[in-house]
Amino acid sequence: TLNWVGTTQNFYSAHFSGMDCVEEEVDFNWEEYLEETGATAAPHTSFRHVELSLQSSFQPGMKLEVANKGSLDTYWVATIITTCGQLLLLRYCGYGDDRKTDFWCDVMTAELHPVGWCAQNNKTLQPPEAIKEKYSDWTEFLIKELTGSRTAPANLLEGPLRGKNTVDLIVVGCILEVRDAFEPSVYWAARVQCNVGGRLCLSYVGVNDSAYDMWMFYLDTRLRPLGWAKENNLSLKPPTDLCDLRSSSEWTEALDEATTEALKSPLPLEVFKDHADLSTHSFRAGMKLEMVSPSEPFHICPVSVTKVYNEYYFQITVDDLTAEATPTHVVCHADSPGILPVQWCLKNGVGLERPQGFESQDFDWADYLKHTGAEAAPDVCFPNASQSRGFCKDMWLEAVNPLQPSELCVARITQVKGRLLWLRLEGLTKPQPDCIVDVESMSIFPVGWCEANAYPLTHLLKTVCKCLVNGKYCCSQLFINHRCFSGPYLNKGRIAELPKAVGPGKCAVVLKEILTMLINSAYKPGRVLRELQMVEDPQWNCQEETLKAKYKGKSYRSTMRIVRTGDQVSEFCRRVCERLQCCPNLFGPTIVSDKCPENCFSQTKTKYTYYKKRKVGRPSLGENAQDGDMSKPARRRKKRKAIFVQKKRRTSIVGYHTTESPQDSDYYYDDEEEDFEEWGSEVSSSSPREEASAHSFKDVPRRGRPPRRAALQRRATHPGPETIDRSSPRRTTRSVSYSQNQTAKNTHTKTENFEEEDRLVLETNPLEWSVSDVVDFITSTDCASLAKIFQEQDIDGQALLLLTLPTVQECMDLKLGPAIKLCHQIERVKVAFYSQFAN
């Protein structure tokens, strides 16, 4: 049995007393962990540096030359209006603020060129026909339009860097310049050893020892393009603390070699487009303030401004009054993270570390300033001392271990004070105090960042507990016998992927774990969850446990009574197998090696389907329901909402007779969503649908239905449109599934092939759709909740046809499930477009 260390201590003491527990390394999944513990992930928008790293290399306002739509072999200058992944929204120059003719194009497939390409290649540059007469002198117009503007870089429009995001432009071997940690006017070249989502592992040129490697996010203000120091009359010297590793000539030789190498494939300047401009500071030498300790970021200490370099940089030294102290210096600027005004700790209820050598036990700033003869830095020096950027206590994220910069850990926010976060890093081999980071720190990342960038994450360990004694409430191992008949509910392929045994441990805990595995191995997990709720015996010694199922993006929860004592486990397992119509030995205390005692391999597939002839629409209320002893009244069926889910039907199941076995098909079950409405389970949807407009589509009343196969046979034998009362205004698109006229026209086609039910028939060419047309279409599908995104991002018909799964996930920030559903609807439009309008 498994328990997450550090998060479920009460659960541990209640369930695992008297058991031998050890911490083990197991696979970690953020989604499962957050769901199990009810924890909350810090919002992605709180990590500004990560948000910037996901943006396109192209910027709004950039100019480029693009082929003219209405005239072959001619081109015109266009402006980038906005970007979405590798998609660009363009507007021909000359249209001003008129957005009616804006168009989307894919950087990877469209013919795009930098400004000046036509002149170099003798191509014709002429404005579109619609605005040809707007200006008498287009040459003069272009000169004014392009003066002071920025052209799209040629290397982003062609070659290996074409269409890449900013972060992806930084490849291993690139050379940058890094500002010295102690001298702001000194830089030295460094080579990229690794790029993890913009987090760079750098080694100084001329240093071959990885012990000196450093990690920085690409937006760090210490990083500059090669040649920066020379252009700004700054020094190019090896780092102060590494000068003695080589002679002066060796350093120079290493730099020359690196520079020659870098010039062959220079790092695009677009990498630095999002670097923040430094603000001027108001600090003076001698001022005192508070700061997160630069060497041990676990506490806050008094520090002093000991040097002012210029209007941008100043030096801070940690206060230490001992005679033999070695000063700790750090170069700062106005926006450096972790610098705070005097009395900040007192006002926020945070302890302030007393300076070394300060005699008084009780630190008081007034006494300390008087003792040192210094002044406190005024509040005007700290313009952003209170922002929290949406972080809250007990949120989870991923963070760099300050003592091991190459390590990223699962972290929990233990407190938030102003712009500082206290983080508890999990999974460390040696425990350490909560580390303190600024909300603008580039060493913290959102949940899932490591997984997205294929980087290892140090996570929580799980406690694996084993029974020491065969107590009353413990059970031995329970076996999952993969070769036994799995019945109509469970997917045999998924069963084969389960472990062969679970336990030993507390009965309820082991059974809950194995039942959860079976639920997730079902064709329709929700249906199995419903069946399991019916397994009950008044003579059992039970405890209630909550079981969960996920189906079609929705989560279902149900409370089930599970036996607590070891002597009832065998009978409980047998009853569950009976309810699921599978072999009684599919799981339980009996291990099956080659041949099942039930001989389920050779038996007919209906041997265990005791309830196959009962009505499927509503579950029985227990084994004695037929005697009229119903513990609960029958629940009235809820009115079914009009939800537009296009279900594909396979042509292979039109005929009633088939060689397909029950365990290979899902024909036996009702629509899961309707089942659960009737059942009354607690339902929570991860992708809620917005209802379509009430005047467009009316509810379709549904009574208890026969099994799906019988329904299909009936349709095949007696074809005819369903009687649906609808009065719908004119729309630009319509689907066969909800269009009355089209249904009538295609009745014969539906009889021959049920996949026609999913085909879309369009009244207008989607290339001509406006943004509102696209929104109308999305609203009419089962992705209606996403229509607002299309409106916000000005996605018209042309842009819709360019969308793919990667761009949908990236630009709309959707999880895989909703993204796939949306792409299915987009593919329907594409198929209709190619069949109706492409020729």
Side-chain angles (χ1 to χ4, degrees):
T1 54
L2 301 176
N3 174 46
W4 288 108
V5 174
T7 57
T8 50
Q9 294 301 325
N10 294 334
F11 179 83
Y12 169 81
S13 58
H15 290 266
F16 298 107
S17 56
M19 304 176 73
D20 184 22
C21 299
V22 294
E23 293 182 358
E24 280 191 7
E25 185 81 12
V26 293
D27 289 338
F28 179 79
N29 181 285
W30 265 118
E31 184 177 1
E32 291 178 3
Y33 174 73
L34 294 175
E35 184 176 353
E36 287 176 16
T37 61
T40 304
H44 282 62
T45 51
S46 297
F47 305 86
R48 181 174 173 273
H49 60 295
V50 177
E51 293 287 292
L52 288 174
S53 72
L54 300 176
Q55 291 183 2
S56 169
S57 301
F58 295 95
Q59 293 178 280
M62 281 184 172
K63 309 286 186 183
L64 43 74
E65 293 178 359
V66 60
N68 245 325
K69 286 186 175 182
S71 180
L72 294 177
D73 297 326
T74 65
Y75 300 81
W76 189 240
V77 179
T79 304
I80 297 176
I81 303 301
T82 190
T83 65
C84 180
Q86 64 189 42
L87 301 179
L88 304 178
L89 181 64
L90 302 179
R91 182 182 302 165
Y92 286 121
C93 291
Y95 277 96
D97 296 328
D98 185 359
R99 52 183 288 184
K100 292 180 181 177
T101 57
D102 291 0
F103 59 98
W104 289 90
C105 65
D106 189 330
V107 178
M108 302 303 294
T109 57
E111 188 179 359
L112 305 175
H113 305 284
V115 172
W117 179 84
C118 284
Q120 294 173 3
N121 293 273
N122 297 321
K123 298 292 184 178
T124 303
L125 198 64
Q126 71 176 39
E129 287 292 329
I131 58 172
K132 202 169 184 179
E133 307 300 327
K134 189 173 183 179
Y135 296 96
S136 57
D137 191 340
W138 281 102
T139 302
E140 182 182 352
F141 167 81
L142 277 185
I143 292 174
K144 290 181 180 179
E145 185 79 6
L146 296 175
T147 300
S149 66
R150 189 178 176 194
T151 181
N155 57 354
L156 298 183
L157 297 171
E158 54 195 24
L161 301 181
R162 181 177 184 178
K164 285 192 174 182
N165 283 348
T166 305
V167 167
D168 299 327
L169 300 177
I170 309 171
V171 297
V172 174
C174 283
I175 305 294
L176 307 91
E177 289 182 359
V178 182
R179 176 171 56 77
D180 192 280
F182 307 104
E183 290 289 340
S185 61
V186 175
Y187 283 77
W188 189 248
R191 181 178 284 105
V192 176
Q193 300 293 343
C194 180
N195 178 4
V196 182
R199 191 164 185 260
L200 310 178
C201 178
L202 302 169
S203 63
Y204 283 115
V205 167
V207 179
N208 299 321
D209 188 347
S210 61
Y212 296 102
D213 287 357
M214 53 194 165
W215 285 87
M216 292 184 194
F217 203 72
Y218 83 103
L219 294 173
D220 196 304
T221 55
R222 289 181 62 191
L223 298 178
R224 298 295 180 183
L226 188 64
W228 169 269
K230 185 177 180 181
E231 290 177 9
N232 291 273
N233 299 316
L234 301 172
S235 301
L236 200 59
K237 299 177 183 177
T240 307
D241 54 340
L242 301 180
C243 276
D244 296 336
L245 294 179
R246 285 178 175 244
S247 66
S248 178
S249 59
E250 288 176 329
W251 284 114
T252 303
E253 182 181 352
L255 179 62
D256 291 341
E257 290 178 1
T259 302
T260 303
E261 175 188 341
L263 291 176
K264 295 178 181 177
S265 55
L267 184 65
L269 293 178
E270 281 64 39
V271 168
F272 303 93
K273 67 182 176 65
D274 295 316
H275 272 224
D277 294 328
L278 293 180
S279 305
T280 57
H281 69 81
S282 304
F283 290 96
R284 297 192 305 273
M287 285 181 172
K288 289 195 178 293
L289 57 151
E290 297 175 0
M291 183 181 186
V292 177
S293 172
S295 57
E296 295 179 336
F298 310 115
H299 56 262
I300 301 173
C301 55
V303 297
S304 303
V305 178
T306 50
K307 187 186 294 186
V308 174
Y309 296 102
N310 51 40
E311 60 184 334
Y312 298 112
Y313 294 106
F314 54 95
Q315 182 187 72
I316 278 181
T317 304
V318 177
D319 283 6
D320 190 334
L321 306 182
T322 56
E324 67 281 0
T326 302
T328 301
H329 304 298
V330 60
V331 174
C332 294
H333 51 82
D335 298 315
S336 287
I339 57 173
L340 308 160
V342 162
Q343 303 285 15
W344 185 92
C345 285
L346 180 64
K347 293 176 182 177
N348 287 276
V350 177
L352 180 66
E353 193 84 356
R354 185 168 56 90
Q356 293 291 325
F358 186 64
E359 296 178 357
S360 176
Q361 292 298 318
D362 298 322
F363 181 83
D364 179 78
W365 264 113
D367 294 341
Y368 183 63
L369 291 173
K370 184 177 180 180
H371 174 77
T372 56
E375 63 172 322
D379 289 345
V380 71
C381 294
F382 310 91
N384 299 311
S386 60
Q387 64 174 12
S388 64
R389 289 198 61 83
F391 290 105
C392 298
K393 182 183 177 183
D394 290 329
M395 283 183 172
W396 291 78
L397 45 86
E398 298 172 6
V400 174
N401 180 355
L403 303 183
Q404 185 66 41
S406 62
E407 181 181 32
L408 272 89
C409 306
V410 166
R412 177 171 64 91
I413 301 174
T414 57
Q415 60 176 325
V416 180
K417 299 289 184 180
R419 57 178 298 136
L420 294 187
L421 311 176
W422 275 254
L423 303 179
R424 181 159 300 162
L425 305 184
E426 305 285 358
L428 299 177
T429 53
K430 293 182 180 179
Q432 65 186 33
D434 292 357
C435 64
I436 307 172
V437 300
D438 192 276
V439 293
E440 296 284 356
S441 169
M442 297 186 195
S443 295
I444 56 176
F445 301 91
V447 160
W449 186 86
C450 281
E451 182 182 4
N453 291 282
Y455 195 78
L457 175 68
T458 300
H459 53 75
L460 301 88
L461 300 176
K462 275 191 174 182
T463 299
V464 180
C465 299
K466 300 178 182 180
C467 263
L468 296 177
V469 294
N470 292 323
K472 178 180 179 181
Y473 299 104
C474 291
C475 71
S476 59
Q477 274 191 321
L478 296 183
F479 300 96
I480 300 176
N481 298 304
H482 300 157
R483 298 189 62 187
C484 287
F485 174 61
S486 57
Y489 295 110
L490 304 178
N491 185 315
K492 197 169 184 65
R494 294 176 193 161
I495 291 288
E497 297 174 357
L498 299 181
K500 293 183 178 180
V502 177
K506 290 283 187 181
C507 297
V509 178
V510 173
L511 286 170
K512 180 179 179 180
E513 186 168 338
I514 205 167
L515 290 174
T516 300
M517 291 179 179
L518 293 177
I519 290 168
N520 292 323
S521 299
Y523 290 108
K524 295 186 176 179
R527 181 58 185 267
V528 170
L529 184 62
R530 194 180 83 174
E531 293 293 334
L532 292 177
Q533 194 185 32
M534 305 303 160
V535 179
E536 191 171 347
D537 192 311
Q539 298 180 355
W540 284 345
N541 181 356
C542 296
Q543 71 181 50
E544 290 190 346
E545 294 287 349
T546 300
L547 300 179
K548 304 173 186 177
K550 285 189 175 181
Y551 184 74
K552 291 185 177 179
K554 289 188 176 182
S555 296
Y556 302 95
R557 297 169 185 262
S558 175
T559 301
M560 179 181 180
R561 294 177 60 79
I562 297 177
V563 297
R564 300 175 62 212
T565 59
D567 59 333
Q568 296 174 342
V569 169
S570 179
E571 174 63 14
F572 179 83
C573 294
R574 188 192 68 77
R575 293 279 288 276
V576 169
C577 290
E578 180 181 286
R579 190 74 202 179
L580 298 182
Q581 302 178 21
C582 59
C583 174
N585 294 321
L586 180 66
F587 84 97
T590 304
I591 185 171
V592 174
S593 53
D594 294 329
K595 190 174 182 181
C596 174
E598 287 281 316
N599 200 25
C600 63
F601 309 116
S602 59
Q603 297 292 339
T604 64
K605 297 300 182 185
T606 58
K607 176 180 170 76
Y608 306 106
T609 55
Y610 312 112
Y611 305 100
K612 185 170 183 180
K613 293 183 180 180
R614 67 178 170 84
K615 186 176 180 180
V616 179
R618 184 183 301 275
S620 62
L621 297 176
E623 297 302 320
N624 299 321
Q626 63 268 30
D627 298 329
D629 183 18
M630 292 188 179
S631 58
K632 297 181 181 178
R635 183 171 297 210
R636 183 180 179 184
R637 179 180 295 277
K638 294 182 180 180
K639 188 176 181 181
R640 192 162 189 252
K641 292 181 179 179
I643 46 178
F644 303 99
V645 182
Q646 313 299 326
K647 295 178 181 281
K648 290 187 177 181
R649 288 187 165 83
R650 293 172 292 183
T651 54
S652 59
I653 61 171
V654 171
Y656 188 86
H657 300 287
T658 177
T659 58
E660 186 182 36
S661 67
Q663 72 188 78
D664 296 323
S665 170
D666 62 352
Y667 76 91
Y668 184 60
Y669 317 114
D670 279 329
D671 184 287
E672 207 67 28
E673 291 162 304
E674 189 168 342
D675 284 343
F676 273 97
E677 282 187 350
E678 176 184 326
W679 183 29
S681 282
E682 176 188 341
V683 180
S684 60
S685 174
S686 59
S687 55
R689 298 187 182 98
E690 296 178 2
E691 289 192 41
S693 55
H695 66 274
S696 299
F697 306 102
K698 293 201 173 184
D699 292 344
V700 183
R702 301 287 294 272
R703 296 283 178 185
R705 293 176 298 170
R708 183 179 300 170
R709 180 172 303 202
L712 289 180
Q713 184 194 26
R714 186 177 66 252
R715 291 184 189 181
T717 309
H718 306 288
E722 296 181 13
T723 305
I724 300 176
D725 179 26
R726 57 166 67 89
S727 57
S728 171
R730 182 181 180 275
R731 304 181 67 87
T732 56
T733 63
R734 66 178 186 271
S735 169
V736 174
S737 60
Y738 60 81
S739 175
Q740 184 179 13
N741 295 335
Q742 196 61 36
T743 304
K745 291 179 183 178
N746 288 278
T747 299
H748 182 67
T749 308
K750 283 180 62 179
T751 305
E752 294 179 352
N753 186 349
F754 288 99
E755 290 187 1
E756 292 293 322
E757 187 169 328
D758 195 47
R759 181 168 296 176
L760 191 67
V761 177
L762 303 176
E763 291 182 348
T764 58
N765 190 335
L767 284 176
E768 300 170 358
W769 285 2
S770 64
V771 175
S772 60
D773 292 334
V774 172
V775 170
D776 285 345
F777 170 75
I778 297 298
T779 303
S780 71
T781 70
D782 60 341
C783 298
S785 60
L786 305 177
K788 185 178 179 182
I789 300 177
F790 286 79
Q791 183 74 56
E792 291 173 347
Q793 299 193 12
D794 289 331
I795 297 177
D796 57 14
Q798 295 182 32
L800 183 74
L801 294 177
L802 289 171
L803 290 178
T804 61
L805 183 58
T807 53
V808 163
Q809 283 186 277
E810 178 182 350
C811 301
M812 299 186 178
D813 194 25
L814 297 179
K815 291 185 177 180
L816 183 59
I820 290 176
K821 284 178 63 179
L822 177 58
C823 285
H824 169 65
Q825 299 297 342
I826 295 172
E827 285 302 313
R828 295 175 63 225
V829 177
K830 291 180 181 179
V831 170
F833 166 72
Y834 286 122
S835 63
Q836 294 180 242
F837 302 102
N839 295 326

